[in-house]
Amino acid sequence: MSAVRLFSYLLPLTSYLFILSSCGSDRQTFLLEGTFKGFNQGDLYIYGVNGTHKLDTISVVKGAFRYEIPLEEPVTFALVFPNFSELPVFGEPRAEVEIEGDASHLKETKISGTELNEAMTSFRLQSSQMTPPEAAQAAEAFIKENPASPISLYLFNKYFTQTPKPDYKKAIALITELRKAQPDEPSLKGLAEKMKGVENLKDGATLPNFTAKDINGKTVKSSDLNAPVNVIYTWAKWNYESVNMQRQLAYFQKQYKDKIKFLGICVDVDVKGCRQTAEKDSVKWSTINDRKLWESPLVQQLGLSYIPDNIVTDSKGKIITHTLKAFDLQDKLRDLLKDKDKSP
């Protein structure tokens, strides 16, 4: 066979194979790629906010990254940066999303490629110039105008549940609208239950009774928290503030021993990593991790709403205080434990 005839024979075959290769882009995957100025090399982290996709690592090399995973249905991801700030990314099957940003101005990061990501970027850029109350009002307006959008679910969580002092009445009203627009969305039922817990989380109230299993299979009960001072708190290994707070609590236990008890709730899908972090930081008390993140029945029952969150009780389960910042929590514990040292 001559070279010309061979070429003419291979050309259609090559074209056919090229077409098949091109069709490969239709497979159920989600591609996320981008560049960051001022971030030459390091790691980003990504996880599905509903717990369906565990924490994964994205390597940044020379300011660029590429991340592709199988995806059969839409997922809202959280992209976590080295300073532990987060950006939402809306993943869809067969979608390609591009991120362009500056490490020194993460709030101005642009995410494009799909309508959802571009709409979220537009809201985020506008709200970054607002005060927190103004941003919450803008989020409320967006939710009312777009109750069927996945963006509305994200904004609801960010501005109306995962905040130090959620507005219960407003949150319930918004949940009602969201459930009408998204009747098949399972997380909304959980949000309604969670807000009941938030409403009950008040100073002077009694801690709800609960039973759970810790990461080592030990049964933990609310009645176990019977020391003069008790702390329930949330943490995640990717959240520096919460991990640092946990280390400080370990110091309190060494100093005050049986006068204080702790219970950690790790809001992380990586149980192995949770256990390793706890062991590394000399955490001697129970840690609960059911891998359900904010859908955890215990988290919802207790009304815990962000990381790090906390509840301080007395020996009878009365809530002394809650939702304190790390430094405020330390000061409060010192004051409470100082009083216990004075008691006969």
Side-chain angles (χ1 to χ4, degrees), residues 59-298:
S59 296
V60 179
V61 180
K62 295 182 179 179
F65 67 89
R66 178 186 171 89
Y67 180 73
E68 187 172 12
I69 59 169
L71 200 62
E72 297 182 355
E73 58 184 7
V75 173
T76 301
F77 291 100
L79 189 64
V80 186
F81 294 86
N83 66 353
F84 301 105
S85 61
E86 295 185 1
L87 288 179
V89 177
F90 297 93
E92 302 173 29
R94 298 186 297 277
E96 297 182 4
V97 170
E98 184 175 358
I99 297 181
E100 182 181 0
D102 188 321
S104 61
H105 299 89
L106 290 177
K107 290 183 179 180
E108 300 174 9
T109 300
K110 296 180 180 179
I111 305 178
S112 60
T114 66
E115 291 183 5
L116 283 176
N117 284 294
E118 289 166 7
M120 184 69 234
T121 295
S122 177
F123 178 90
R124 183 164 39 77
L125 293 178
Q126 293 177 26
S127 62
S128 67
Q129 306 300 319
M130 302 176 182
T131 64
E134 289 173 340
Q137 289 179 358
E140 181 182 1
F142 185 99
I143 293 169
K144 289 181 176 179
E145 293 173 8
N146 308 276
S149 172
I151 296 176
S152 293
L153 283 177
Y154 173 82
L155 293 178
F156 178 81
N157 276 306
K158 177 177 175 62
Y159 289 99
F160 298 99
T161 66
Q162 296 175 15
T163 60
K165 295 182 178 180
D167 185 329
Y168 173 76
K169 292 182 179 180
K170 184 172 291 186
I172 289 296
L174 291 175
I175 288 175
T176 301
E177 294 193 35
L178 289 169
R179 293 189 73 176
K180 287 180 180 178
Q182 303 184 48
D184 298 326
E185 174 55 48
S187 66
L188 286 173
K189 181 179 180 181
L191 282 172
E193 294 299 319
K194 179 177 180 178
M195 294 313 299
K196 292 180 182 178
V198 172
E199 185 186 29
N200 294 328
L201 184 58
K202 299 175 181 178
D203 293 354
T206 300
L207 188 73
N209 293 324
F210 64 83
T211 300
K213 293 280 188 180
D214 71 9
I215 55 177
N216 296 314
K218 178 184 176 183
T219 299
V220 180
K221 298 180 180 180
S222 52
S223 57
D224 296 333
L225 299 172
N226 53 13
V229 178
N230 307 274
V231 182
I232 303 173
Y233 65 96
T234 57
W235 68 282
K237 65 184 182 64
W238 42 263
N239 182 282
Y240 175 78
E241 183 182 0
S242 67
V243 173
N244 185 56
M245 184 183 71
Q246 183 169 244
R247 292 170 184 159
Q248 293 298 320
L249 296 181
Y251 164 79
F252 274 93
Q253 189 181 57
K254 287 181 180 178
Q255 184 175 6
Y256 294 98
K257 301 186 182 342
D258 59 350
K259 288 186 174 63
I260 189 167
K261 286 186 176 181
F262 301 100
L263 175 63
I265 302 177
C266 183
V267 189
D268 199 320
V269 293
D270 185 3
V271 178
K272 181 179 178 181
C274 169
R275 182 181 290 107
Q276 291 174 340
T277 301
E279 291 175 352
K280 177 183 176 183
D281 293 338
S282 302
V283 174
K284 305 299 183 182
W285 54 86
S286 287
T287 297
I288 294 172
N289 184 338
D290 58 13
R291 301 187 64 194
K292 295 181 180 179
L293 302 175
W294 298 113
E295 304 303 316
S296 166
L298 180 58

